[in-house]
Short mmCIF file of all heavy atoms in Angstrom, two decimals:
data_model
loop_
_atom_site.label_atom_id
_atom_site.label_comp_id
_atom_site.label_asym_id
_atom_site.label_seq_id
_atom_site.Cartn_x
_atom_site.Cartn_y
_atom_site.Cartn_z
N THR B 227 -17.71 -24.02 194.73
CA THR B 227 -16.97 -24.42 195.94
C THR B 227 -15.79 -23.50 196.19
O THR B 227 -15.55 -23.07 197.32
CB THR B 227 -16.49 -25.87 195.78
OG1 THR B 227 -17.60 -26.71 195.56
CG2 THR B 227 -15.74 -26.33 197.00
N ILE B 228 -15.05 -23.18 195.13
CA ILE B 228 -13.91 -22.29 195.28
C ILE B 228 -14.36 -20.92 195.75
O ILE B 228 -13.75 -20.30 196.64
CB ILE B 228 -13.13 -22.20 193.95
CG1 ILE B 228 -12.48 -23.52 193.62
CG2 ILE B 228 -12.08 -21.12 194.02
CD1 ILE B 228 -11.78 -23.52 192.30
N PHE B 229 -15.47 -20.43 195.18
CA PHE B 229 -15.98 -19.13 195.57
C PHE B 229 -16.39 -19.12 197.04
O PHE B 229 -16.09 -18.19 197.80
CB PHE B 229 -17.17 -18.80 194.67
CG PHE B 229 -17.82 -17.50 194.99
CD1 PHE B 229 -17.17 -16.31 194.78
CD2 PHE B 229 -19.11 -17.46 195.51
CE1 PHE B 229 -17.76 -15.11 195.06
CE2 PHE B 229 -19.71 -16.28 195.80
CZ PHE B 229 -19.04 -15.09 195.58
N GLU B 230 -17.06 -20.19 197.46
CA GLU B 230 -17.49 -20.27 198.86
C GLU B 230 -16.29 -20.29 199.80
O GLU B 230 -16.28 -19.59 200.83
CB GLU B 230 -18.33 -21.54 199.04
CG GLU B 230 -18.73 -21.81 200.45
CD GLU B 230 -19.23 -23.23 200.61
OE1 GLU B 230 -19.35 -23.93 199.60
OE2 GLU B 230 -19.48 -23.64 201.75
N ILE B 231 -15.26 -21.08 199.46
CA ILE B 231 -14.08 -21.13 200.33
C ILE B 231 -13.37 -19.79 200.35
O ILE B 231 -12.88 -19.36 201.41
CB ILE B 231 -13.13 -22.25 199.88
CG1 ILE B 231 -13.80 -23.58 200.11
CG2 ILE B 231 -11.84 -22.21 200.62
CD1 ILE B 231 -12.99 -24.70 199.60
N ALA B 232 -13.32 -19.10 199.21
CA ALA B 232 -12.66 -17.80 199.18
C ALA B 232 -13.40 -16.80 200.07
O ALA B 232 -12.79 -16.04 200.83
CB ALA B 232 -12.59 -17.28 197.74
N VAL B 233 -14.74 -16.82 200.00
CA VAL B 233 -15.51 -15.91 200.85
C VAL B 233 -15.27 -16.22 202.33
O VAL B 233 -15.10 -15.33 203.16
CB VAL B 233 -17.01 -15.99 200.49
CG1 VAL B 233 -17.85 -15.29 201.52
CG2 VAL B 233 -17.25 -15.36 199.13
N GLU B 234 -15.24 -17.53 202.65
CA GLU B 234 -15.02 -17.88 204.06
C GLU B 234 -13.63 -17.46 204.53
O GLU B 234 -13.46 -16.99 205.65
CB GLU B 234 -15.20 -19.39 204.23
CG GLU B 234 -16.66 -19.80 204.22
CD GLU B 234 -16.80 -21.30 204.26
OE1 GLU B 234 -15.78 -21.98 204.45
OE2 GLU B 234 -17.93 -21.78 204.10
N LEU B 235 -12.62 -17.64 203.68
CA LEU B 235 -11.27 -17.25 204.08
C LEU B 235 -11.16 -15.75 204.29
O LEU B 235 -10.55 -15.28 205.25
CB LEU B 235 -10.26 -17.70 203.03
CG LEU B 235 -9.89 -19.17 203.05
CD1 LEU B 235 -8.97 -19.48 201.91
CD2 LEU B 235 -9.22 -19.51 204.36
N ILE B 236 -11.77 -14.98 203.37
CA ILE B 236 -11.72 -13.52 203.53
C ILE B 236 -12.46 -13.10 204.78
O ILE B 236 -12.02 -12.22 205.53
CB ILE B 236 -12.29 -12.83 202.28
CG1 ILE B 236 -11.38 -13.10 201.09
CG2 ILE B 236 -12.44 -11.36 202.49
CD1 ILE B 236 -11.85 -12.48 199.81
N THR B 237 -13.58 -13.76 205.05
CA THR B 237 -14.33 -13.43 206.26
C THR B 237 -13.52 -13.75 207.51
O THR B 237 -13.51 -12.99 208.47
CB THR B 237 -15.65 -14.20 206.29
OG1 THR B 237 -16.32 -14.04 205.05
CG2 THR B 237 -16.55 -13.71 207.40
N LEU B 238 -12.84 -14.89 207.49
CA LEU B 238 -12.02 -15.24 208.64
C LEU B 238 -10.92 -14.21 208.86
O LEU B 238 -10.58 -13.88 209.99
CB LEU B 238 -11.39 -16.63 208.45
CG LEU B 238 -12.22 -17.81 208.90
CD1 LEU B 238 -11.49 -19.09 208.57
CD2 LEU B 238 -12.48 -17.73 210.38
N TYR B 239 -10.34 -13.70 207.76
CA TYR B 239 -9.27 -12.73 207.92
C TYR B 239 -9.81 -11.40 208.42
O TYR B 239 -9.23 -10.78 209.31
CB TYR B 239 -8.55 -12.54 206.58
CG TYR B 239 -7.57 -11.41 206.61
CD1 TYR B 239 -6.34 -11.57 207.23
CD2 TYR B 239 -7.86 -10.18 206.04
CE1 TYR B 239 -5.44 -10.54 207.27
CE2 TYR B 239 -6.96 -9.15 206.08
CZ TYR B 239 -5.75 -9.33 206.69
OH TYR B 239 -4.84 -8.31 206.74
N ILE B 240 -10.93 -10.97 207.85
CA ILE B 240 -11.43 -9.63 208.19
C ILE B 240 -11.90 -9.58 209.62
O ILE B 240 -11.63 -8.64 210.35
CB ILE B 240 -12.56 -9.25 207.21
CG1 ILE B 240 -11.97 -8.92 205.85
CG2 ILE B 240 -13.34 -8.09 207.73
CD1 ILE B 240 -13.00 -8.53 204.86
N THR B 241 -12.61 -10.63 210.04
CA THR B 241 -13.13 -10.58 211.39
C THR B 241 -12.11 -11.02 212.42
O THR B 241 -12.40 -11.01 213.61
CB THR B 241 -14.37 -11.48 211.49
OG1 THR B 241 -13.99 -12.77 210.99
CG2 THR B 241 -15.49 -10.94 210.67
N ASN B 242 -10.93 -11.41 211.97
CA ASN B 242 -9.82 -11.65 212.88
C ASN B 242 -10.13 -12.70 213.93
O ASN B 242 -9.85 -12.53 215.12
CB ASN B 242 -9.46 -10.33 213.58
CG ASN B 242 -7.98 -10.25 213.79
OD1 ASN B 242 -7.23 -10.95 213.14
ND2 ASN B 242 -7.57 -9.43 214.72
N ILE B 243 -10.72 -13.79 213.48
CA ILE B 243 -11.08 -14.86 214.41
C ILE B 243 -9.92 -15.84 214.46
O ILE B 243 -9.39 -16.23 213.43
CB ILE B 243 -12.36 -15.56 213.92
CG1 ILE B 243 -13.52 -14.59 213.97
CG2 ILE B 243 -12.66 -16.76 214.75
CD1 ILE B 243 -14.78 -15.17 213.44
N GLN B 244 -9.54 -16.22 215.66
CA GLN B 244 -8.47 -17.19 215.80
C GLN B 244 -9.06 -18.58 215.85
O GLN B 244 -9.82 -18.90 216.75
CB GLN B 244 -7.72 -16.96 217.11
CG GLN B 244 -7.46 -15.51 217.43
CD GLN B 244 -6.31 -14.99 216.62
OE1 GLN B 244 -5.52 -15.78 216.10
NE2 GLN B 244 -6.22 -13.69 216.49
N THR B 245 -8.72 -19.37 214.85
CA THR B 245 -9.21 -20.75 214.89
C THR B 245 -8.09 -21.69 214.49
O THR B 245 -7.04 -21.28 214.02
CB THR B 245 -10.37 -20.99 213.91
OG1 THR B 245 -9.78 -21.34 212.65
CG2 THR B 245 -11.18 -19.77 213.70
N ASN B 246 -8.36 -22.98 214.63
CA ASN B 246 -7.43 -23.99 214.14
C ASN B 246 -7.82 -24.49 212.76
O ASN B 246 -7.25 -25.45 212.28
CB ASN B 246 -7.42 -25.19 215.10
CG ASN B 246 -6.74 -24.83 216.39
OD1 ASN B 246 -5.83 -24.01 216.39
ND2 ASN B 246 -7.18 -25.43 217.47
N LEU B 247 -8.81 -23.88 212.17
CA LEU B 247 -9.29 -24.36 210.88
C LEU B 247 -8.29 -24.04 209.79
O LEU B 247 -7.82 -22.92 209.68
CB LEU B 247 -10.61 -23.68 210.52
CG LEU B 247 -11.87 -24.18 211.19
CD1 LEU B 247 -13.04 -23.42 210.67
CD2 LEU B 247 -12.05 -25.64 210.91
N LYS B 248 -7.99 -25.03 208.97
CA LYS B 248 -7.13 -24.79 207.83
C LYS B 248 -7.98 -24.73 206.55
O LYS B 248 -9.16 -25.04 206.58
CB LYS B 248 -6.11 -25.91 207.70
CG LYS B 248 -5.42 -26.26 208.97
CD LYS B 248 -3.94 -26.39 208.76
CE LYS B 248 -3.16 -26.76 209.99
NZ LYS B 248 -3.84 -26.65 211.25
N THR B 249 -7.34 -24.35 205.46
CA THR B 249 -8.09 -24.25 204.21
C THR B 249 -8.67 -25.59 203.79
O THR B 249 -9.81 -25.67 203.32
CB THR B 249 -7.15 -23.74 203.10
OG1 THR B 249 -6.42 -22.65 203.59
CG2 THR B 249 -7.93 -23.36 201.89
#
Side-chain angles (χ1 to χ4, degrees):
Chain B
T227 302
I228 293 176
F229 178 68
E230 175 195 354
I231 293 175
V233 168
E234 284 175 8
L235 282 176
I236 293 179
T237 310
L238 273 177
Y239 172 76
I240 286 181
T241 53
N242 216 20
I243 296 176
Q244 318 282 341
T245 87
N246 289 329
L247 282 182
K248 313 226 180 346
T249 314

